[in-house]
Amino acid sequence: MVLDTGNELSWLHYKQLPNLNSTFNPLLSSSYITAPCNSSICNTRTRDLILPASCDPPKLCHVIVSYADSSSGGASQPGTLFGCMDSTEYTSDAGEDSKTTGLMGMNRGSLSLVTQMALPKFSYYISGKDAFRVLLLSGGAATAPWLGPLKYTPLVTTTTSLPYFDRVAYTVQLQGIKVAEKLLQLPKSVFLPGHTGVGQTMVDSGTQLTFLLGSVYSALKDEFLEQTKGGRWTCATTHQRVWRRFRQ
């Protein structure tokens, strides 16, 4: 499954489609139950989703989720609070999605796996090579002493309701951007959420894209072009091993 810190709803493919290697068959599960659209689960537990839940034709709880890379999909949300993906419209890369069984929602929303399991923290080890990745739920360094000392970044939270601020995301404070060793000359205010919430910096493991505000992007682009003009390119190749630790 794709571990997604930018999304709360975990879901599994359940329709057999040509591009999917594996799907979930609810008929083979003795514990699977569906959630009707008039249930308290459908009416209250979906409150953190961007789009409200609705009724599909069989009167089941139907939700639509969308992602930063412009993909989306529909899911009926059953008993243990995960979704069954029933749409072929969810993907922006069918070849990549065929390698996965589903998505593991790990943000701070009420439906996420982190919240449902009451996990105060989890750790995700990302290697420079795809062959080695580790997910630790709760235990952290005590469970894996080979990690060594860990450094923490405080999360940014708000008690004010802002229309474009995702309050269940892992929001951090961006301090600045460097191109090579040159720090971009930008005011600190551009790295702070505005009065509508625009400008929030969140850690999203489920998308391969990085998004910046227009003014920040322009400054980054201009400095990059300046340093690489005339065909002079500098490329540094490293294999980074990074632990990303997330706390509720």
Side-chain angles (χ1 to χ4, degrees), residues 4-247:
D4 190 353
T5 60
N7 183 60
E8 71 169 289
L9 180 63
S10 300
W11 53 261
L12 296 169
H13 296 297
Y14 90 103
K15 280 193 174 181
Q16 191 66 47
L17 299 173
N19 65 312
L20 298 178
N21 292 332
S22 58
T23 56
F24 169 68
N25 185 350
L27 298 179
L28 300 180
S29 171
S30 61
S31 60
Y32 174 89
I33 58 173
T34 57
C37 54
N38 61 355
S39 65
S40 60
I41 290 176
C42 191
N43 294 327
T44 62
R45 295 296 295 275
T46 60
R47 63 183 181 274
D48 294 326
L49 298 177
I50 296 177
L51 298 174
S54 62
C55 271
D56 63 9
K59 302 296 183 182
L60 297 179
C61 188
H62 185 81
V63 299
I64 296 176
V65 290
S66 60
Y67 306 99
D69 61 0
S70 299
S71 56
S72 63
S76 297
Q77 177 201 314
T80 317
L81 304 185
F82 71 95
C84 288
M85 183 62 70
D86 61 2
S87 173
T88 59
E89 300 173 357
Y90 61 87
T91 182
S92 59
D93 189 339
E96 191 65 27
D97 283 320
S98 67
K99 303 174 185 177
T100 65
T101 303
L103 182 142
M104 187 185 301
M106 298 291 282
N107 75 3
R108 302 166 64 224
S110 64
L111 290 175
S112 76
L113 184 65
V114 178
T115 302
Q116 292 190 63
M117 294 182 67
L119 296 173
K121 56 187 175 181
F122 69 93
S123 303
Y124 185 36
Y125 178 79
I126 305 173
S127 170
K129 299 179 180 179
D130 288 339
F132 187 59
R133 296 181 181 180
V134 177
L135 171 65
L136 292 180
L137 300 176
S138 191
T143 305
W146 47 269
L147 284 177
L150 298 176
K151 295 183 178 180
Y152 296 88
T153 299
L155 295 179
V156 176
T157 59
T158 180
T159 57
T160 305
S161 179
L162 303 175
Y164 298 109
F165 188 94
D166 186 348
R167 64 181 183 83
V168 296
Y170 295 100
T171 303
V172 296
Q173 182 56 61
L174 184 62
Q175 300 295 328
I177 299 176
K178 285 184 177 181
V179 180
E181 292 303 314
K182 184 175 180 180
L183 181 67
L184 299 183
Q185 297 302 305
L186 293 168
K188 292 293 185 182
S189 59
V190 301
F191 299 124
L192 298 172
H195 66 281
T196 63
V198 172
Q200 174 186 15
T201 302
M202 65 181 71
V203 181
D204 184 353
S205 64
T207 180
Q208 58 188 318
L209 304 176
T210 298
F211 295 92
L212 298 169
L213 291 177
S215 58
V216 180
Y217 173 79
S218 296
L220 174 61
K221 180 186 70 173
D222 292 344
E223 183 58 35
F224 179 83
L225 292 176
E226 177 64 26
Q227 292 193 29
T228 57
K229 67 182 179 182
R232 296 188 300 274
W233 294 82
T234 301
C235 180
T237 301
T238 59
H239 290 289
Q240 295 182 348
R241 289 191 172 102
V242 181
W243 265 100
R244 304 194 187 281
R245 170 161 286 205
F246 303 91
R247 288 189 166 206

